[in-house]
Amino acid sequence: MWGCGVLVRARTRSRLRRELFPAWDRGGFAAAPYSASAERSRVRALVYGHHGDPAKVVELKNQELAAVGGSDVHVKMLAAPINPSDINMIQGNYGLLPKLPAVGGNEGVGQVVAVGGSVTGVKPGDWVIPANAGLGTWRTEAVFSEEALISVPSDLPLQSAATLSVNPCTAYRMLMDFEQLQPGDCVIQNASNSGVGQAVIQIAAALGLRTVNVVRDRPDLQKLTDRLKSLGAEHVLTEEELRKHEMKNFFKDMPQPRLALNCVGGKSSTELLRHLAPGGTMVTYGGMAKQPVIASVSQLIFKDLKLRGFWLSQWKKDHSPAQFKELILTLCGLIGRGQLTAPACSEVPLQDYHRALEASMQPFVSSKQILTMC
């Protein structure tokens, strides 16, 4: 009854309903008898009891399913990605650490199976995503509180829904909150092949912004360049090309960037600063190089450059749940209009989590690992 392997591969909504809800008919959903105790042994989750190497500390375990109370929502997870923040959280070096033992995963999409008597915002059959980090999405099913979930359209592509609540939100807020950009303005970013980077390219294109996208040199550079340009990237450069003296002429043909988005740090961020327009802003949201951001005194004094940081979890703390839901709906609109797609993804069954974890930590990763709850 609960298998979703065919669903994930076929993406057939009618089949999803038949598999998850045998009582679904043309007139709507008729509640079917459900015994939590009968299904408890089949609930599986990726759990870690202490911090360390994800490949060593994460284990696939059986869990009991809590009873559904008044404001509870029983969710069957469909898919959940592995993000860098998930890895950092397991390693113990992230700004938000859940109480141990914990279920991994901060993002994903699930389908509502049953709701408590006090629930009004979602109903069986709805698709939902986490409202906040730390929910633990790497599991086959769970019971969450209604306030921990946000409803999204169930006709979204599965991969888009599963990767909606972290990277696209980060990209959108950085493009909107630090500089008053107008169509035709330029944005420069490093780590352009990351999940955030791919979202930045697409959202910027939808807003009429021009992008300079920096990536590390690699054997399949042309393939990556072609993919990023297919998403709307105007220019794709390697970090080595960005350091060349000829870049001065490059910005004679297009405006200097007013906004730089830094996920790397070290020399890469220094180069972004060097090409920023006077008065521009560099926003740091990651530190892949594990090296500090270094800004010269002359850049700060004579160009009046601004250095800022962004963390989506902090943005959520500073804004209401309604504002985050509005952001999600805005992004759903972009997806619906074909202006925002999921990053390049590789779907991996939950039981093959070791392979997915190892792949997610490899260098030059251009494909996000998504766990499918088969």
Side-chain angles (χ1 to χ4, degrees):
M1 173 178 176
W2 299 109
C4 70
V6 177
L7 159 71
V8 171
R9 290 186 290 271
R11 306 290 190 276
T12 306
R13 294 176 64 194
S14 60
R15 181 171 293 175
L16 169 65
R17 289 169 178 154
R18 290 197 300 271
E19 291 178 350
L20 291 184
F21 309 114
W24 190 287
D25 57 28
R26 292 178 183 237
F29 182 80
Y34 174 74
S35 170
S37 60
E39 298 294 337
R40 281 177 179 172
S41 63
R42 303 187 67 179
V43 177
R44 295 173 297 164
L46 294 180
V47 181
Y48 58 102
H50 57 276
H51 299 298
D53 180 354
K56 296 179 180 179
V57 302
V58 173
E59 299 178 279
L60 183 60
K61 294 186 174 183
N62 293 329
Q63 286 193 328
E64 290 190 353
L65 193 67
V68 178
S71 61
D72 293 330
V73 180
H74 175 195
V75 176
K76 169 70 178 179
M77 293 303 301
L78 303 178
I82 300 176
N83 290 318
S85 58
D86 301 322
I87 298 298
N88 293 338
M89 192 175 284
I90 297 169
Q91 292 169 333
N93 53 15
Y94 194 65
L96 172 67
L97 297 177
K99 183 179 178 181
L100 300 180
V103 176
N106 293 296
E107 187 179 33
V109 62
Q111 186 157 40
V112 176
V113 175
V115 300
S118 302
V119 174
T120 59
V122 296
K123 62 185 184 301
D126 286 353
W127 279 21
V128 290
I129 63 174
N132 291 297
L135 200 61
T137 55
W138 296 351
R139 50 179 138 192
T140 55
E141 55 188 300
V143 174
F144 302 119
S145 66
E146 181 182 9
E147 65 180 12
L149 304 169
I150 294 177
S151 178
V152 297
S154 58
D155 58 355
L156 292 178
L158 184 73
Q159 292 182 355
S160 293
T163 59
L164 177 59
S165 63
V166 176
N167 292 337
C169 292
T170 296
Y172 188 88
R173 291 268 56 100
M174 291 194 301
L175 287 171
M176 299 297 292
D177 293 351
F178 295 92
E179 289 284 340
Q180 298 300 311
L181 300 174
Q182 302 297 324
D185 286 343
C186 181
V187 176
I188 189 170
Q189 66 166 341
N190 56 23
S192 303
N193 61 307
S194 67
V196 172
Q198 293 178 55
V200 164
I201 290 170
Q202 296 176 82
I203 296 170
L207 296 172
L209 303 174
R210 307 174 70 176
T211 57
V212 177
N213 303 278
V214 185
V215 298
R216 289 181 293 176
D217 196 7
R218 64 195 65 210
D220 61 344
L221 178 62
Q222 189 58 53
K223 181 179 178 181
L224 175 60
T225 298
D226 292 343
R227 169 165 171 74
L228 296 184
K229 287 191 174 182
S230 73
L231 296 177
E234 184 170 352
H235 298 284
V236 179
L237 305 172
T238 65
E239 294 188 343
E240 290 75 16
E241 289 173 326
L242 192 65
R243 297 189 186 104
K244 291 183 178 179
H245 181 75
E246 292 80 5
M247 285 303 299
K248 289 185 177 180
N249 296 326
F250 178 87
F251 286 108
K252 289 181 180 179
D253 298 327
M254 64 183 303
Q256 277 190 288
R258 292 179 51 195
L259 178 67
L261 305 177
N262 168 46
C263 185
V264 179
K267 293 181 180 179
S268 179
S269 58
T270 301
E271 288 301 315
L272 295 188
L273 283 171
R274 190 162 69 89
H275 295 291
L276 264 183
T281 302
M282 182 173 79
V283 181
T284 294
Y285 67 98
M288 292 170 53
K290 298 182 180 178
Q291 297 174 353
V293 171
I294 300 176
S296 70
V297 170
S298 62
Q299 288 174 331
L300 297 178
I301 295 176
F302 302 121
K303 292 183 67 177
D304 189 26
L305 299 183
K306 298 179 285 292
L307 304 181
R308 300 290 302 276
F310 182 82
W311 184 31
L312 183 63
S313 294
Q314 186 61 50
W315 185 92
K316 290 181 183 180
K317 292 178 183 178
D318 296 338
H319 296 78
S320 68
Q323 288 173 301
F324 182 59
K325 185 172 184 178
E326 181 182 357
L327 170 58
I328 291 294
L329 293 178
T330 297
L331 295 170
C332 287
L334 291 174
I335 295 171
R337 293 191 293 273
Q339 296 174 307
L340 178 62
T341 61
C345 295
S346 298
E347 295 184 5
V348 181
L350 182 67
Q351 61 266 26
D352 294 334
Y353 69 96
H354 270 119
R355 173 162 59 92
L357 286 171
E358 290 173 0
S360 69
M361 293 185 286
Q362 295 299 312
F364 304 114
V365 174
S366 295
S367 181
K368 184 177 291 293
Q369 303 296 302
I370 293 188
L371 298 169
T372 54
M373 308 308 164
C374 304

